Structures are given as C-alpha cells and as structure tokens.
Amino acid sequence: MTRTPGEAAIRVLVLHESNLMRSALSSLLGEEHDFDVASASWNDSERGLSSAEPRVCLADAGSPGVDRLTPGGSLSGRVSGPGSGLVVLAHPDRPGVLRRAFAARAQGYVNEDAIPQRLVDAIRKVSRGERFVDESLAFSFLEAAEMPLTPRELSVLKIAATGESIAGTATRLHLSQGTVRNYVAAVVRKTGARNKIDAIRIAQAAGWL
C-alpha cells in the first residue's frame, strides 16, 4: 500500500527477545510503504517505546514480557492507551497464551502460522482503533475463558515453576507455608495433575505460565 502525500506512516514497534525474529519481522513489515518499523528486545522495551512512540506494537503472545503489559505491570498502559494498540502472534494450541494477551488488552490476534498479509491487515486495523482476531484462533479464545486457576493460584504455580521451595514461595508472596500448600493442592486438583510437577507441565503446555 502506497502512502498518500501528507499521510503519516504507521509507526510499528516489534518487541521480541530473539534478535533473529526481530530482524525478520522488521524486514517483512518494512516492505509496506505505509509502515515505519522499529524493534527492541523486552529488556529494552521502555526505551524502545519512548523513542519509537509507536501506534502499534507487535509481540509474541507467548513471551513472558507480555505480562509486563497487564494492569500492574511495568509497561501497563504504554501500548493500549489512546492512539496506540497491541497486536500479538499466537498459536491455537496454547489458549492460555491468548488469555494472557487478552489481560494485556491486545486488540489484534494473529495466528503465528498465518500468511504475512494477515499480520499486515491486523496492524492496519489496530492502527485505526479496530480489533482483529484471526478466525483460526476463535475456538482457542473459548478455551482460554475456561482456564481454571485463580490469579493467586497461578502466581503460586509460576513461582513454583522456578524451582522455589514452599517456604521460599510463602516468603515471596507474604503468605504462610500452609496457605501455599493449600494453593498447590488446589492447583493439582483443578488441573487434574498427579502432583505439583505435573501441574506445572500442564500449565506450561496450555500457555498459562
């Protein structure tokens, strides 16, 4: 698409931990004449957002960095406020990832296996304040709504997944060890897991962690 005289470019910031993926996505989007593309790693995201002042941010929904965009996160409101929007790449087999992206107030959802034009269309729509949901992700959205764990149970499991002990988890969350054990037991029950390790595996496979 060619930009008409006087029309401002759509400023796009690609956020990705992999330098190779950042370069590939930036190169792909840079082919569009109405896009002005920049990129940054999640570690450099605050500076990238400040310097690029993007209208649209593109991120991998499965990246832990997306959690920084949720309410209370260090980047909350930076890419979902007036004049800006978030587009995420996701896979239909990981509905929990979509739930995290929804919590981050993403406006565009593109299947990571989609043709490049789908991504381009999503960015243009979100830049106009519209929403875009890839049809192939629709059923996964329904599954994402069925995530059985509460935010507190998920936070306990997330810390447990790092290898932290019950005592360490209790200290970090300012809870008693008995309360943490109760949360772990609830997680194991709700996920249908055999034990804590199995619950972590199930949660990671679903994209909840």
Side-chain angles (χ1 to χ4, degrees):
M1 179 181 292
T2 302
R3 205 161 68 243
T4 59
E7 182 183 3
I10 299 171
R11 294 190 301 275
V12 182
L13 178 65
V14 178
L15 291 171
H16 206 289
E17 278 310 295
S18 165
N19 183 53
L20 182 61
M21 287 302 298
R22 286 200 308 273
S23 298
L25 289 168
S26 296
S27 178
L28 169 69
L29 298 176
E31 295 290 323
E32 303 300 317
H33 298 294
D34 55 333
F35 287 178
D36 182 4
V37 185
S39 66
S41 67
W42 281 104
N43 286 338
D44 202 30
S45 55
E46 292 196 40
R47 185 165 60 179
L49 286 165
S50 297
S51 60
E53 296 185 343
R55 197 187 311 177
V56 177
C57 282
L58 171 64
D60 178 358
S63 168
V66 169
D67 291 337
R68 299 174 62 186
L69 302 173
T70 58
S74 61
L75 298 178
S76 177
R78 294 291 299 272
V79 297
S80 59
S84 64
L86 173 65
V87 173
V88 295
L89 294 170
H91 195 281
D93 289 341
R94 304 193 71 202
V97 165
L98 289 172
R99 185 183 180 91
R100 289 164 56 193
F102 185 80
R105 296 180 290 233
Q107 289 94 342
Y109 302 81
V110 181
N111 189 327
E112 61 188 35
D113 291 328
I115 61 173
Q117 189 59 44
R118 298 289 285 172
L119 176 57
V120 171
D121 291 345
I123 290 172
R124 289 197 179 113
K125 278 201 166 189
V126 170
S127 75
R128 298 193 296 265
E130 302 173 27
R131 296 183 70 84
F132 181 98
V133 179
D134 205 314
E135 294 174 359
S136 61
L137 298 175
F139 183 72
S140 295
F141 261 103
L142 295 176
E143 290 186 316
E146 297 174 357
M147 201 275 285
L149 305 182
T150 66
R152 177 60 86 182
E153 289 165 351
L154 201 59
S155 65
V156 167
L157 191 61
K158 185 178 295 185
I159 293 175
T162 68
E164 184 65 85
S165 65
I166 292 292
T169 301
T171 298
R172 290 173 61 176
L173 294 177
H174 307 290
L175 300 171
S176 71
Q177 293 185 39
T179 299
V180 170
R181 288 192 182 92
N182 288 339
Y183 279 128
V184 170
V187 167
V188 170
R189 183 182 69 255
K190 287 182 177 182
T191 57
R194 296 186 300 275
N195 50 44
K196 180 178 70 175
I197 301 301
D198 193 35
I200 291 170
R201 178 191 61 77
I202 291 170
Q204 289 174 334
W208 301 335
L209 294 181

